[in-house]
Amino acid sequence: MEQLQTGALIRALRKERGMTQRELAELLHVTDRAVSKWERNLGCPDVGLLPQLAQIFGVSMAHLLRGDLAPNIPEVGNMRRLKFYVCPECGNVLTATGGGELHCCGRRLEPLEPKPMDELHAVKVEPVEEDWYVTFSHPMEKDHYFRFAAFVGTERVLLVRLYPEQSGEFRIPQMRCGKLYLCCSRHGLYEVKV
């Protein structure tokens, strides 16, 4: 724990919320003198108080321990930097265009790194009416299937959840210039330019 930085962060977060030391102390069931000591770097909060502090201030315990919030530098509107994340526990699919940390089911998620399509993960994309008709021969079994498909265009993302025992086809609205991504439950993320 970076005591000097943690104390300064607690003070900054408390003031940001317009709280007094006494109000924070009452929420934590400690004395206002304890809060004063933390903020003056004369002591640290008990480890058992960290979850409450994190919840009160709306930050992660890791940030409290480090003593900084390391702000994200937004990368507004750049879809080329879109990253996909999949929770190994519940299967949630998350996306982000900027930096930062994404968590699900108590785990820090790492972005999936796209690979070029190979023979096993090949897809066929054809225009049909106003849609892209996507077909594939990849297995769709309970332990080996495509989790999702996503078309990333210049201004939007269209995500399609896929499920085991589903047929090897789906349709998505046509968009100009983009990439199609498919995520295999065993082998990761694949991309193909459309």
Side-chain angles (χ1 to χ4, degrees), residues 93-134:
V93 178
L94 304 157
T95 62
T97 56
E101 293 180 10
L102 292 180
H103 295 261
C104 189
C105 298
R107 298 176 181 189
R108 183 174 187 263
L109 303 179
E110 294 296 327
L112 300 174
E113 291 299 324
K115 303 173 260 198
M117 289 283 179
D118 60 21
E119 213 171 288
L120 177 63
H121 300 92
V123 296
K124 185 176 180 184
V125 181
E126 302 174 286
V128 174
E129 299 168 352
E130 301 287 317
D131 296 334
W132 293 115
Y133 179 59
V134 181

Side-chain angles (χ1 to χ4, degrees), residues 36-89:
S36 175
K37 282 183 180 181
W38 304 339
E39 292 182 359
R40 292 182 293 133
N41 304 313
L42 299 175
C44 293
D46 185 78
V47 174
L49 293 175
L50 291 178
Q52 286 176 276
L53 274 169
Q55 185 177 7
I56 289 168
F57 294 136
V59 299
S60 72
M61 288 194 310
H63 285 104
L64 278 175
L65 289 170
R66 278 198 314 261
D68 74 0
L69 293 181
N72 285 338
I73 299 169
E75 298 173 18
V76 180
N78 194 340
M79 299 302 269
R80 289 184 301 229
R81 294 193 176 139
L82 184 75
K83 298 282 186 199
F84 293 94
Y85 303 78
V86 175
C87 177
E89 187 70 26

Side-chain angles (χ1 to χ4, degrees), residues 8-25 35 39 57:
L9 180 61
I10 290 171
R11 180 176 49 252
L13 292 171
R14 177 182 60 77
K15 287 184 175 186
E16 182 180 290
R17 284 171 178 59
M19 299 172 73
T20 65
Q21 288 180 344
R22 180 174 302 247
E23 290 169 334
L24 178 58
V35 173
E39 292 182 359
F57 294 136

Side-chain angles (χ1 to χ4, degrees), residues 79 82-85 93-95 117 123 125 132 134 146-153 156-162 170 172-173 175 178-183 189-194:
M79 299 302 269
L82 184 75
K83 298 282 186 199
F84 293 94
Y85 303 78
V93 178
L94 304 157
T95 62
M117 289 283 179
V123 296
V125 181
W132 293 115
V134 181
F146 279 137
R147 293 177 181 267
F148 69 87
F151 187 87
V152 179
R156 62 182 156 171
V157 176
L158 187 109
L159 187 77
V160 178
R161 280 302 294 250
L162 302 171
F170 62 91
I172 55 174
M175 291 187 273
K179 288 186 179 177
L180 179 66
Y181 294 87
L182 286 114
C183 181
L189 190 65
Y190 292 87
E191 70 180 349
V192 62
K193 190 170 182 172
V194 178

